Amino acid sequence: DVDECVWQETYTAHPSPAMRKAIKLPPSSPTTLTLHSSLHSSSLARHVLTPPLYPVPTTATVTTATTTNNRGWVWMLVVVYVMCGLLVWGLPHHHKTTTHTTAPIYTTHSLDATLTFLVIGDWGNVSPQQQRVAQQMFYRCLSQFWTDPVRFVVSAGDNAYSFGVKDGKDKIFKEVWEASYSYPLLGSLPWYHSIGNHDARGNVSAQVWYSRGNNRWILPERYYYFRKEFYRTIVHFIVLDTNSLVCPHFDTTTNITAWLRNKECEIFHKGSIDRLSTINDGVSQDTINARVRDIADNNNLYRRNQLLWLNSTLKNIAQEKLPKYKNLQVWTIVVGHHNLYSAASAHGDSPLLAATLLPMIQGNTDLYIGGHDHALQHIRMAERRPGNCLADHLASGGGGYGGNTHTITHDKWLARNEPNG
């Protein structure tokens, strides 16, 4: 470590007669101009020395045998303290990121040896529990700032309870997200969002639109891809909209009543259909059924397009020409709101989602991250069979929604016969 970083340059100048008179110099004496710049911090020096270099403060001292101005040192110390304060409160960390659905959006760089990020789901309302979780996120950022800084946050969905947002100016953005997670360090981190079932009840396009004007709220599309590159490591993130994937396929032979009983499928919120059929006396059941069919048909198309995109993205990752680094590590992480597996009592496993995704992602990915159940779980399947079973599942739905936690039923879950792993 460097105890003191000092930049110093010395010049010999010959001022004009007018300048000599102004600074009271003898007619023939030369003037030495010395530039000093220093930063006293062994820990901060490595951040400042990481390209691109931030501007450093300078002071100028005019020196002769009879004239010296030392007041510049006072101003230099003031500027140094200000710079140290800015660094402590969180300058943006430089790491390589690529985010896109079809083409890259932006890229930055990093030489870090590790990548640390936070995962939170089911956080989209203000409650004492949610506030305590936000405080713990800040404490984690603070405790690791000097050794292993947190770089970003992955949100596993349910960003806005209970019916999503109305538009891009909904007060939920400022009152829930910006206000709750505005702590130093935490308040400068980018959030990579996914869409939860409560988000799907509202205007999802508004959440996408909000990301256009706030560079910390990252949701370029309903499903997207981004990557992080650091020291000899590449991490691929595939963010899915699982709301369409938990809905059964709908066709002309589907029984609408039975289809709507699927508790996980909320592309057309069942409560809205119930209210439409009971409050609006002028609306016939045939009209309601026709509306459901239209929405279900659109979901079939959206579901198909997302799965084609997922297959294409996994193929591109597998075929990528990698740099020839020794001991290069490549990770692939899939993020979605609904869990493939869960030992919690409220929702539990998603058999339809597992049947849809596992054939595509097992053997190609290292970790699946979800939320939905209001609990924290790390499920590691009993057998790790490469090419046949996705071993690790992380459920992080403990964001603090209204203090509503879901009970973990380990014994019941472990006793079941799971053919996939």
Side-chain angles (χ1 to χ4, degrees):
D1 286 340
V2 181
D3 292 328
E4 180 179 357
C5 301
V6 179
W7 291 262
Q8 179 170 309
E9 297 182 38
T10 304
Y11 300 92
T12 300
H14 299 277
S16 64
M19 178 61 70
R20 291 178 179 277
K21 183 177 180 181
I23 60 176
K24 299 179 180 179
L25 293 178
S28 59
S29 64
T31 300
T32 301
L33 178 63
T34 305
L35 297 180
H36 298 280
S37 180
S38 62
L39 179 62
H40 299 270
S41 174
S42 60
S43 299
L44 293 179
R46 59 193 180 97
H47 290 278
V48 175
L49 292 175
T50 301
L53 292 177
Y54 290 96
V56 293
T58 61
T59 61
T61 304
V62 178
T63 306
T64 65
T66 58
T67 306
T68 302
N69 181 7
N70 290 322
R71 289 180 298 176
W73 284 100
V74 177
W75 288 108
M76 183 196 71
L77 291 175
V78 171
V79 175
V80 167
Y81 280 121
V82 171
M83 289 185 64
C84 292
L86 289 174
L87 288 170
V88 171
W89 279 74
L91 286 173
H93 299 288
H94 293 268
H95 49 278
K96 185 171 183 180
T97 305
T98 305
T99 308
H100 63 83
T101 51
T102 56
I105 292 179
Y106 59 87
T107 302
T108 52
H109 302 275
S110 173
L111 294 176
D112 299 330
T114 60
L115 179 68
T116 301
F117 59 98
L118 303 176
V119 179
I120 182 174
D122 303 79
W123 53 269
N125 80 318
V126 176
S127 70
Q129 294 79 12
Q130 181 251 9
Q131 293 294 304
R132 285 200 291 272
V133 173
Q135 291 175 359
Q136 290 301 316
M137 294 171 69
F138 161 64
Y139 294 150
R140 176 54 62 92
C141 292
L142 185 62
S143 65
Q144 297 186 194
F145 178 73
W146 299 111
T147 57
D148 188 15
V150 176
R151 300 305 189 188
F152 58 94
V153 179
V154 170
S155 171
D158 278 358
N159 313 318
Y161 283 99
S162 283
F163 297 97
V165 299
K166 297 178 181 179
D167 53 44
K169 297 181 180 180
D170 197 301
K171 63 180 182 180
I172 288 178
F173 290 115
K174 291 190 177 295
E175 294 182 3
V176 178
W177 181 63
E178 292 188 18
S180 298
Y181 306 99
S182 60
Y183 291 95
L185 303 179
L186 178 61
S188 64
L189 298 179
W191 287 50
Y192 294 87
H193 292 277
S194 61
I195 301 299
N197 60 301
H198 286 275
D199 302 313
R201 298 178 184 182
N203 187 348
V204 177
S205 297
Q207 293 198 33
V208 174
W209 178 87
Y210 186 74
S211 69
R212 306 290 194 267
N214 191 313
N215 59 8
R216 291 183 53 237
W217 180 284
I218 300 176
L219 184 63
E221 299 292 345
R222 296 181 67 135
Y223 53 89
Y224 61 101
Y225 160 89
F226 69 97
R227 65 192 281 161
K228 299 287 182 177
E229 297 183 16
F230 57 105
Y231 182 73
R232 293 182 179 177
T233 306
I234 300 173
V235 185
H236 304 279
F237 290 85
I238 301 173
V239 183
L240 300 177
D241 177 6
T242 56
N243 291 284
S244 68
L245 303 179
V246 296
C247 293
H249 181 77
F250 189 94
D251 57 33
T252 56
T253 64
T254 302
N255 182 290
I256 292 179
T257 303
W259 188 79
L260 290 174
R261 288 200 186 105
N262 185 318
K263 65 177 183 178
E264 295 295 340
C265 182
E266 298 193 41
I267 58 169
F268 191 90
H269 188 228
K270 293 184 286 295
S272 300
I273 295 177
D274 295 338
R275 289 193 296 272
L276 187 62
S277 60
T278 57
I279 298 176
N280 300 332
D281 297 334
V283 179
S284 67
Q285 191 64 41
D286 289 341
T287 301
I288 296 173
N289 291 347
R291 291 184 61 185
V292 173
R293 287 193 185 95
D294 288 342
I295 293 174
D297 287 341
N298 289 334
N299 184 69
N300 287 343
L301 178 61
Y302 175 72
R303 171 194 177 98
R304 175 178 177 273
N305 289 340
Q306 181 173 196
L307 293 176
L308 288 173
W309 172 86
L310 173 60
N311 183 65
S312 175
T313 302
L314 290 171
K315 183 178 179 180
N316 290 338
I317 291 173
Q319 296 178 348
E320 180 181 4
K321 186 176 181 180
L322 299 175
K324 296 181 179 180
Y325 295 143
K326 185 178 181 180
N327 300 324
L328 178 68
Q329 299 290 322
V330 180
W331 293 72
T332 301
I333 299 174
V334 177
V335 181
H337 179 65
H338 300 81
N339 295 299
L340 280 70
Y341 302 110
S342 173
S345 58
H347 300 292
D349 297 346
S350 298
L352 180 59
L353 182 64
T356 302
L357 289 183
L358 278 178
M360 302 180 69
I361 66 176
Q362 61 189 5
N364 300 320
T365 57
D366 300 283
L367 176 67
Y368 181 90
I369 295 176
H372 203 34
D373 276 314
H374 300 173
L376 301 179
Q377 307 172 69
H378 179 195
I379 297 176
R380 190 170 182 82
M381 304 309 293
E383 293 183 53
R384 182 169 187 144
R385 299 195 295 270
N388 190 42
C389 180
L390 177 63
D392 289 284
H393 302 258
L394 181 67
S396 182
Y401 167 59
N404 181 9
T405 57
H406 297 162
T407 305
I408 302 295
T409 54
H410 296 87
D411 296 338
K412 180 180 178 181
W413 190 84
L414 293 174
R416 83 212 198 299
N417 181 23
E418 173 53 57
N420 289 322

